[in-house]
Amino acid sequence: MTQHSKPVVTVLTAPGEQEPPGMDAVRARADVRFACDEPTLRDTLPGTDIMMVTDFRTEALAAAWHTADKLQWIHATSAGVDALMFPDLIRGDVTVTNARGIFDRTIAEYVLCTILMFAKDFPNSIRLQMKHQWKHRDTERAEGKQVLVVGAGSIGRQIGRLVGAAGLKAHGIARKPRKEDPDFVAVHGNDDLYEQLGHADFVVIAAPLTPQTEGLFDEKAFKAMKNSARLINIGRGPIVKTDDLITALENGEIAGAGLDVFEEEPLAEDHPLWDMENVTMTAHMAGDFIGWKRALTDQFLGNFDRWHKGDELFNLVDKELGYAGSK
């Protein structure tokens, strides 16, 4: 970059997606281009210094990668970066950052809400209300129940902190065990997953999608869980094998599931999960709060200032692991 030229920022959105709010602040500091698919990205990527990727499902970047001649840094406006982890990017020297931190608290609130909904049988209360039926029931106490958070990173910590404040006992699963952690009763290593599944009343998937986690929750995992346990997935859909989950729910191997993400999105209208009374579902929105899109742009701008000054960026993604570390 010469002294008087502006860096070029290409924003890759999903087809039909509106421009992210707050882009005028980016235009004041950079020449901004927009792309929404492989053809438009092939036109805009040459000469691009920085990419801001808002489409977390995109395959366009891998397809147009050969046209990237100046690219130094890619920022994903999502916590998950699995769609960006193609071999050429992993092997190359382009820096990747993500939106770590933006959604942590709201996802934790979603998880706590889902736990309490199951404990207090709110799905049945809503169904009874719609039928105008008065039916008294006894419900569970949430206090003292054990929550196993699979993925004890940034989001997992907030989940552990919040459910702990509500009187539940949070345990974590991480790549390596931790002797002491202020947000968990204990953090166990990946090798202890199946043992810990047998102790948990609620199992929360907060892990990123990587080759190691894809399909992790399968028939074996569900058989390791308590019959009274509920699964909550706010991570990525492909971490769970949907057919195995349906079998486990139908056979009473687990008691229920709260799902925000799915192997195929959007979920087909005729999918059997829609009609299962022990399942609650939302449309990949666990972390989305009013104003979240502007917050993502502001986070990008904060990192852009660091890049412009030559300072180290925050939320650096370890491309081999496929997620941002704790630094």
Side-chain angles (χ1 to χ4, degrees), residues 199-235:
H199 301 304
D201 300 294
F202 296 93
V203 177
V204 182
I205 300 174
L209 179 60
T210 67
Q212 291 72 39
T213 62
E214 185 170 3
L216 179 64
F217 276 78
D218 57 5
E219 179 183 5
K220 179 181 178 182
F222 296 127
K223 287 185 181 299
M225 291 171 61
K226 296 164 65 172
N227 293 344
S228 58
R230 280 83 166 216
L231 177 77
I232 300 171
N233 189 7
I234 50 81

Side-chain angles (χ1 to χ4, degrees), residues 2-271:
T2 63
Q3 184 176 359
H4 300 290
S5 65
K6 290 183 177 180
V8 176
V9 175
T10 289
V11 182
L12 176 60
T13 66
E17 181 184 352
Q18 293 184 344
E19 176 181 311
M23 290 306 299
D24 285 345
V26 181
R27 288 189 181 93
R29 311 180 201 186
D31 291 328
V32 179
R33 304 171 180 175
F34 288 90
C36 63
D37 52 23
E38 180 188 347
T40 54
L41 186 58
R42 278 194 269 106
D43 290 339
T44 56
L45 200 50
T48 294
D49 300 287
I50 301 166
M51 282 193 68
M52 179 180 176
V53 181
T54 68
D55 181 6
F56 63 86
R57 299 183 182 92
T58 186
E59 297 179 356
L61 183 56
W65 186 250
H66 63 281
T67 65
D69 54 358
K70 289 183 60 183
L71 192 61
Q72 300 177 40
W73 165 37
I74 299 171
H75 178 75
T77 60
S78 58
V81 293
D82 43 280
L84 302 179
M85 293 296 103
F86 53 91
D88 287 341
L89 175 55
I90 293 172
R91 290 192 297 261
D93 57 2
V94 174
T95 298
V96 179
T97 58
N98 73 348
R100 185 176 187 265
I102 293 291
F103 303 108
D104 295 5
R105 179 69 183 193
T106 46
I107 288 177
E109 292 171 355
Y110 176 99
V111 169
L112 179 59
C113 173
T114 304
I115 289 171
L116 295 177
M117 282 179 62
F118 276 126
K120 300 306 172 188
D121 199 27
F122 258 71
N124 275 328
S125 293
I126 293 170
R127 280 188 280 268
L128 290 166
Q129 179 182 345
M130 293 179 70
K131 296 177 182 178
H132 297 196
Q133 292 182 3
W134 180 281
K135 185 178 180 181
H136 179 273
R137 292 103 64 219
D138 295 334
T139 60
E140 304 169 33
R141 294 187 64 171
E143 184 180 17
K145 294 290 180 71
Q146 182 163 316
V147 180
L148 182 66
V149 183
V150 182
S154 177
I155 293 172
R157 282 186 176 282
Q158 283 285 348
I159 294 170
R161 194 172 302 162
L162 200 55
V163 302
L168 294 102
K169 299 177 181 178
H171 288 245
I173 294 288
R175 194 162 57 94
K176 296 179 181 179
R178 303 172 195 155
K179 292 184 178 180
E180 294 184 7
D181 192 297
D183 299 315
F184 295 96
V185 174
V187 176
H188 314 273
N190 287 337
D191 293 343
D192 296 324
L193 172 64
Y194 295 105
E195 177 188 352
Q196 292 302 316
L197 285 175
H199 301 304
D201 300 294
F202 296 93
V203 177
V204 182
I205 300 174
L209 179 60
T210 67
Q212 291 72 39
T213 62
E214 185 170 3
L216 179 64
F217 276 78
D218 57 5
E219 179 183 5
K220 179 181 178 182
F222 296 127
K223 287 185 181 299
M225 291 171 61
K226 296 164 65 172
N227 293 344
S228 58
R230 280 83 166 216
L231 177 77
I232 300 171
N233 189 7
I234 50 81
R236 282 288 188 259
I239 296 175
V240 175
K241 290 188 176 181
T242 308
D243 290 344
D244 290 357
L245 171 62
I246 291 172
T247 299
L249 290 165
E250 290 177 338
N251 294 343
E253 293 171 0
I254 64 173
L259 307 173
D260 183 58
V261 290
F262 304 85
E263 282 190 279
E264 297 293 335
E265 297 181 5
L267 195 67
E269 292 183 5
D270 60 351
H271 199 283

